[in-house]
């Protein structure tokens, strides 16, 4: 199969209903490194819901990426899913994320750019999330997917270009927060929704060209947003209105993620580096604060 531009953009995906609980929110927070120090009382309201923390439970805004995880659209699109990698992730919070809820999600293909035969394609996927009871808009997610095996399908010549990445300030970071991921980090994170064997099965990872399973890109993303919430938001996730970043290198569970943070008014820029290998795993990061 190959991409047929008009059919791809016309793909009609049904609205889905999902529920998440306080357990899901606590599992997500633990899966992206929150409360690695169980005595850190600033982290505990993200992972403890009773006792002294009754009624204080918070949800990380990046949890929005797993609330209604579903990549089935790709298998209806004509895209070669074996050759797909996540390019960028943008999240706009219309309301702070509650630690539990019932939601409706609707996914559509917003645009696709043809980079040329043998050069792949970029697909922009939008998911809107609403409160199931009120219908109120909660979150908009925009993902760019790099379909490495699908260039040459012929997109319109007059289409607008892909979104530009955020420019990181040309100065030393104001703050760096480092955290070592656990060797079994991906096995915890997969319980949040993404069961791709690339992140769990050593033989599958080797067949894909990796020496061992890699961490989910969105787990790395969650680690960086956790660092921003801690370092630039005084542990208050309700301050986050928008976040975005580009995926630039895979992470192996057990590596140390150093998140460099720049603060400029209500704009926080960030970049996530791998201390052991000297690589940038996430780049062009931006968080807009309320």
């Amino acid at each position: 199969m190959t991409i047929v531009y008009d059919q791809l953009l016309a793909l009609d995906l049904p609205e889905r209903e999902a529920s998440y609980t306080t357990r899901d929110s606590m599992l997500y927070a633990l899966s992206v490194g929150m409360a690695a120090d169980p005595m850190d009382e600033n982290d505990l309201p993200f992972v403890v819901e009773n006792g002294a923390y009754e009624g204080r439970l918070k949800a990380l805004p990046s949890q929005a990426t797993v609330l209604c995880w579903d990549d089935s659209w790709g298998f209806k699109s004509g895209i070669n899913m074996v050759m797909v990698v996540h390019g960028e992730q943008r999240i706009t919070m219309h309301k702070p994320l509650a630690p539990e809820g019932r939601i409706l999600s609707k996914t559509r293909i917003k645009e696709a750019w043809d980079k040329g035969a043998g050069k792949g394609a970029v697909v922009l996927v939008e998911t809107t999330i609403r409160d199931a009871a009120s219908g109120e808009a909660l979150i908009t997610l925009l993902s760019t997917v790099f379909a490495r095996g699908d260039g040459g399908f012929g997109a319109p010549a007059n289409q607008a270009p892909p979104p530009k990445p955020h420019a990181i300030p040309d100065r030393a970071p104001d703050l760096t927060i480092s955290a070592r991921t656990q060797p079994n980090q991906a096995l915890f994170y997969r319980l949040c929704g993404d069961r791709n064997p690339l992140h769990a099965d050593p033989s599958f990872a080797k067949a894909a060209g990796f020496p061992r399973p890699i961490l989910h890109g969105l787990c790395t993303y969650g680690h960086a947003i956790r660092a921003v919430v801690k370092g630039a938001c005084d542990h208050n996730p309700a301050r986050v209105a928008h976040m975005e970043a580009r995926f630039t290198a895979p992470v192996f569970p057990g590596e140390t993620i150093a998140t460099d943070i720049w603060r400029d008014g209500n704009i926080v820029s960030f970049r996530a580096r791998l201390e052991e290998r000297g690589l940038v795993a996430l780049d062009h990061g931006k968080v807009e604060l309320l």
Side-chain angles (χ1 to χ4, degrees):
M1 297 177 67
T2 58
I3 290 176
V4 178
Y5 179 82
D6 291 339
Q7 293 180 13
L8 179 63
L9 267 63
L11 194 62
D12 187 18
L13 301 165
E15 189 170 55
R16 300 172 62 244
E17 181 172 341
S19 297
Y20 66 101
T21 67
T22 55
R23 182 182 184 278
D24 296 316
S25 294
M26 291 184 286
L27 175 62
Y28 176 82
L30 289 168
S31 297
V32 298
M34 190 64 82
D37 176 2
M39 295 301 290
D40 186 339
E41 295 190 14
N42 290 313
D43 282 10
L44 291 180
F46 292 87
V47 298
V48 179
E49 85 293 0
N50 58 11
Y53 299 92
E54 184 88 38
R56 295 171 54 190
L57 188 65
K58 305 174 185 179
L60 284 167
S62 53
Q63 186 185 346
T65 58
V66 301
L67 290 183
C68 47
W69 176 259
D70 181 16
D71 59 0
S72 62
W73 65 268
F75 300 96
K76 304 173 184 178
S77 64
I79 292 173
N80 180 356
M81 292 298 286
V82 176
M83 298 291 286
V84 161
V85 294
H86 204 154
E88 297 181 7
Q89 181 66 59
R90 300 174 182 234
I91 308 171
T92 299
M93 310 295 295
H94 307 298
K95 289 191 65 177
L97 183 64
E100 60 184 337
R102 187 167 59 91
I103 57 173
L104 298 171
S105 67
K106 176 71 173 177
T107 296
R108 71 183 181 103
I109 310 304
K110 194 169 183 180
E111 189 54 277
W113 293 272
D114 185 358
K115 297 177 72 67
K119 298 180 180 179
V122 176
V123 180
L124 183 63
V125 184
E126 178 188 73
T127 299
T128 55
I129 299 176
R130 301 184 294 123
D131 180 82
S134 68
E136 183 179 19
L138 299 177
I139 305 158
T140 300
L141 299 100
L142 282 174
S143 304
T144 59
V145 173
F146 182 34
R148 295 175 291 166
D150 293 285
F153 61 89
N158 60 347
Q159 67 183 162
K164 289 185 177 181
H166 172 67
I168 297 294
D170 186 18
R171 67 175 194 270
D174 300 313
L175 174 70
T176 298
I177 295 179
S178 294
R180 182 178 179 272
T181 62
Q182 298 301 312
N184 60 356
Q185 195 89 54
L187 299 179
F188 281 102
Y189 187 84
R190 69 189 296 272
L191 300 180
C192 296
D194 184 353
R195 303 293 180 94
N196 187 332
L198 176 63
H199 309 294
D201 182 345
S203 61
F204 190 98
K206 287 180 181 179
F210 296 101
R212 60 186 190 273
I214 61 174
L215 196 62
H216 305 68
L218 285 174
C219 184
T220 305
Y221 190 97
H223 269 79
I225 297 301
R226 172 192 54 79
V228 171
V229 168
K230 289 169 65 71
C233 301
D234 194 26
H235 295 84
N236 181 6
R239 292 196 61 198
V240 175
H242 176 84
M243 64 208 96
E244 60 185 72
R246 174 173 289 184
F247 301 94
T248 52
V251 177
F252 293 108
E255 292 188 299
T256 302
I257 300 174
T259 303
D260 296 325
I261 297 170
W262 292 261
R263 292 177 287 205
D264 294 286
N266 70 327
I267 300 297
V268 176
S269 303
F270 68 91
R271 175 184 287 145
R273 297 178 288 105
L274 303 177
E275 290 190 349
E276 291 83 358
R277 289 188 288 148
L279 298 177
V280 174
L282 287 176
D283 207 352
H284 304 289
K286 180 175 77 169
V287 173
E288 297 177 15
L289 303 180
L290 297 174

